Amino acid sequence: MAKPAAAKIDIKTPALIRHERLVVAVLCVLAAARVFIFCAAFPFFNNTDEQAHFDLVLKYSHGHLPRGMENFSAESIRYLALYSSPEFFFGPEHFPDRHFPQPSAATSEVLTEAARSWGNAVNAEAWQPPLYYAIAGLWLKLGQAFGCHEAHLLYWLRFLNVLLVAALVWLSFFAARELFPDQVWLRVCVPFLIAFMPQDMFYGIGNDTLSPLCFGVAFVCLVRWLRAEEPGFWLALSLGIALSATYLTKVSNIPLIVIACLVIVLRCFYQVRSGNIRKALPALGIVLLSIAIPIGGWMMWMQHAFGDMTGSAAHIALSGWSPKPFADWWRHPIFTWRGGSTFVSEVIASLWRGEFIWHGKRLASGLIDMLYVSSSFVLIAFAAADLVRLNHKDKATWQILSIGFLCVLVSAAFLVLISIRFDFGDDFYPSRASPYLWSGRLISGALIPLVLLYVYGLGRSLNWTGRKWLPFVLTAAIAVIATISEIQISTEVFASLYNWFHIP
């Protein structure tokens, strides 16, 4: 009797997987090192509300939850007085002999003046959800246990981003494996791009840094939910908790949660049609409960403490914004070619490189911004054009790309809605003269879906060459250009007398 032929074993596959994961591990280390260096190089406090975020971290570290739009604490004001650098907002020409003053000493005059200046200041971020501040508060306590204090404690808080960015790079690799299971080069492109993306929100204290990680986990779980015939308990629980964490990190992540819930409902609809709804009900119940209980509990607290379920009404009133009549929405300049292109360009550029200013000017290169905007627009257009083909040939990839597109588009639509809905009055940003809310960090939760679309479009645009390694080469080239540009425009930052490298 003939023996059955032995199944062929691809001996290259295990080695390839080990090599691939080693590359991603190295990328995690490089991303962590880059963030550490730039966190240390920038002094305190930057122009993206770092003062307010630090004040909240400090309050949460003491177990205090804001009960309304509270003033800055006396402890926070002391740090602001001693360690604030004027270099973000002013150039050397504003000071005698064109030299910045030395960092302040802890004299009674300095502290009295700070108390006078900041005593009535209201923390405009007090309405934000608690997850980031609770985690950062525990991190602060850990730093204190290790002996960090004064300026070193401030930088210890920033260095939490070193862990977050390393985790984000590794998570992006898992997300890429869902989309590119058979394309090793493209799988590596996604974490490579995120590892070297010069997004400066990772160089300061702020809740934006946690958003891409939380929704990245939710995105991976959502894809696996769609592919599973019968979603299990742990998948359902992980998806629900990740979506709850996404909301409890930042209110502007609401559009992403809406898209995820829509996908879950559509999946249930198809299961009803196929007669499998009974098998899916337990998992569906777990997802809904793990979303509703944490978010619902927080909303009840906000209703009690702030007077509305999100706290946004208090923030809007403090900012001096006023709602416009519905008919006036459509007269907004964003609906003109010039206004629309300005808005889109600013959103894409700020998603890539952030929003820091230095000496009162944006830390950016016009030429490199053009590269970010043009490449994003062209490559995502390539990915969009491929959706029709995928709908008939590769349903799984079509689902992932469609969800990614919805996440990016709805997040951008959220910024558009805020821009056209309010009269911003005398606010500095957004303003009546420039009524665009273009901050990419506000929608950074969609970072992993955006990079997946970017890399997929890059692969499709080069498919005709037949060289599977070419997308990786171009990705590496973009990363090198972005890194060189970031170093070049930040040269003066490293020389600051207020940064970590110059702490006595």
Side-chain angles (χ1 to χ4, degrees):
M1 184 176 178
K3 294 182 179 180
K8 287 186 177 181
I9 299 176
D10 185 359
I11 60 173
K12 295 183 180 179
T13 301
L16 182 62
I17 292 174
R18 286 197 299 271
H19 178 70
E20 179 185 31
R21 292 188 175 183
L22 177 61
V23 169
V24 176
V26 171
L27 290 175
C28 291
V29 173
L30 292 176
R34 179 180 61 83
V35 169
F36 176 85
I37 291 170
F38 279 93
C39 278
F42 279 99
F44 281 85
F45 288 87
N46 64 50
N47 58 290
T48 56
D49 301 319
E50 191 172 31
Q51 303 93 330
H53 294 301
F54 169 69
D55 177 61
L56 286 176
V57 171
L58 205 54
K59 289 175 178 176
Y60 273 80
S61 72
H62 297 310
H64 173 74
L65 271 69
R67 293 167 173 81
M69 303 301 281
E70 299 178 344
N71 292 352
F72 284 76
S73 70
E75 188 178 4
S76 298
I77 291 173
R78 180 182 178 277
Y79 279 95
L80 298 179
L82 297 181
Y83 304 114
S84 291
S85 167
E87 295 160 299
F88 288 101
F89 300 98
F90 301 101
E93 65 275 5
H94 290 86
F95 299 92
D97 301 324
R98 300 181 63 86
H99 286 92
F100 288 101
Q102 293 290 321
S104 301
T107 64
S108 59
E109 292 81 3
V110 168
L111 299 179
T112 300
E113 179 60 29
R116 186 182 299 114
S117 301
W118 287 91
N120 296 321
V122 178
N123 189 327
E125 299 295 324
W127 65 293
Q128 286 290 347
L131 184 59
Y132 169 81
Y133 304 110
I135 293 173
L138 292 174
W139 180 254
L140 183 146
K141 287 292 188 183
L142 182 62
Q144 290 174 330
F146 287 153
C148 294
H149 60 279
E150 298 299 331
H152 290 287
L153 188 63
L154 289 175
Y155 280 99
W156 169 266
L157 271 177
R158 275 193 184 169
F159 294 152
L160 173 62
N161 295 337
V162 173
L163 303 180
L164 295 181
V165 78
L168 181 63
V169 171
W170 191 261
L171 177 63
S172 69
F173 168 63
F174 277 92
R177 288 199 308 179
E178 300 291 332
L179 183 56
F180 311 120
D182 302 318
Q183 303 176 67
V184 175
W185 289 107
L186 291 183
R187 288 210 301 265
V188 175
C189 284
V190 174
F192 199 103
L193 200 59
I194 288 182
F196 290 96
M197 183 174 283
Q199 173 52 258
D200 59 28
M201 71 180 184
F202 288 107
Y203 308 153
I205 300 169
N207 58 353
D208 303 287
T209 57
L210 193 58
S211 290
L213 193 60
C214 289
F215 187 73
V217 173
F219 184 79
V220 173
C221 292
L222 196 62
V223 171
R224 293 183 176 181
W225 175 278
L226 285 174
R227 291 180 173 179
E229 292 185 9
E230 296 181 24
F233 171 84
W234 291 112
L235 176 59
L237 185 64
S238 300
L239 176 56
I241 291 176
L243 289 174
S244 295
T246 301
Y247 177 83
L248 294 176
T249 296
K250 201 170 184 72
V251 174
S252 59
N253 290 327
I254 287 178
L256 299 174
I257 299 167
V258 170
I259 291 299
C261 291
L262 179 63
V263 171
I264 293 170
V265 169
L266 288 175
R267 170 64 192 271
C268 291
F269 174 74
Y270 287 123
Q271 288 177 316
V272 169
R273 292 183 60 183
S274 62
N276 294 328
I277 188 61
R278 286 188 177 181
K279 295 181 180 179
L281 278 177
L284 177 62
I286 293 168
V287 169
L288 295 179
L289 285 175
S290 54
I291 294 174
I293 292 175
I295 295 178
W298 178 251
M299 285 184 169
M300 290 174 62
W301 164 255
M302 293 299 290
Q303 182 67 43
H304 167 73
F306 286 76
D308 72 290
M309 290 191 295
T310 63
S312 58
H315 170 72
I316 290 168
L318 180 66
S319 301
W321 300 359
S322 57
K324 295 194 298 187
F326 183 72
D328 291 345
W329 291 12
W330 316 109
R331 300 189 183 99
H332 195 282
I334 205 170
F335 296 113
T336 65
W337 171 256
R338 182 177 180 180
S341 59
T342 297
F343 172 78
V344 172
S345 299
E346 289 286 0
V347 171
I348 294 176
S350 66
L351 260 173
W352 274 85
R353 47 89 172 136
E355 303 169 44
F356 281 8
I357 60 174
W358 191 253
H359 296 177
K361 298 178 181 179
R362 185 75 55 200
L363 268 177
S365 163
L367 183 62
I368 302 302
D369 278 0
M370 191 180 301
L371 169 65
Y372 296 151
V373 174
S374 58
S375 65
S376 299
F377 188 84
V378 170
L379 296 181
I380 292 177
F382 265 102
D386 206 43
L387 279 177
V388 176
R389 180 188 68 86
L390 290 172
N391 192 28
H392 301 288
K393 294 186 177 182
D394 189 349
K395 201 72 173 180
T397 304
W398 178 86
Q399 288 177 337
I400 299 175
L401 291 181
S402 297
I403 295 172
F405 268 113
L406 286 173
C407 291
V408 172
L409 291 176
V410 174
S411 296
F414 171 78
L415 297 182
V416 172
L417 177 63
I418 300 300
S419 298
I420 67 176
R421 185 185 173 193
F422 293 101
D423 180 347
F424 300 109
D426 297 327
D427 204 2
F428 177 74
Y429 163 76
S431 65
R432 188 173 289 165
S434 182
Y436 307 101
L437 186 66
W438 46 258
S439 297
R441 61 188 170 86
L442 298 180
I443 57 172
S444 60
L447 187 62
I448 285 181
L450 177 69
V451 174
L452 284 172
L453 292 171
Y454 186 95
V455 170
Y456 182 85
L458 181 63
R460 290 301 302 170
S461 67
L462 298 172
N463 196 43
W464 60 275
T465 65
R467 294 176 172 85
K468 296 182 179 180
W469 47 265
L470 192 54
F472 179 79
V473 172
L474 290 183
T475 299
I478 293 171
V480 169
I481 292 171
T483 302
I484 292 174
S485 172
E486 183 178 35
I487 294 172
Q488 183 179 16
I489 65 178
S490 304
T491 302
E492 292 181 342
V493 174
F494 284 85
S496 170
L497 296 177
Y498 292 78
N499 67 22
W500 188 68
F501 301 119
H502 294 90
I503 294 175

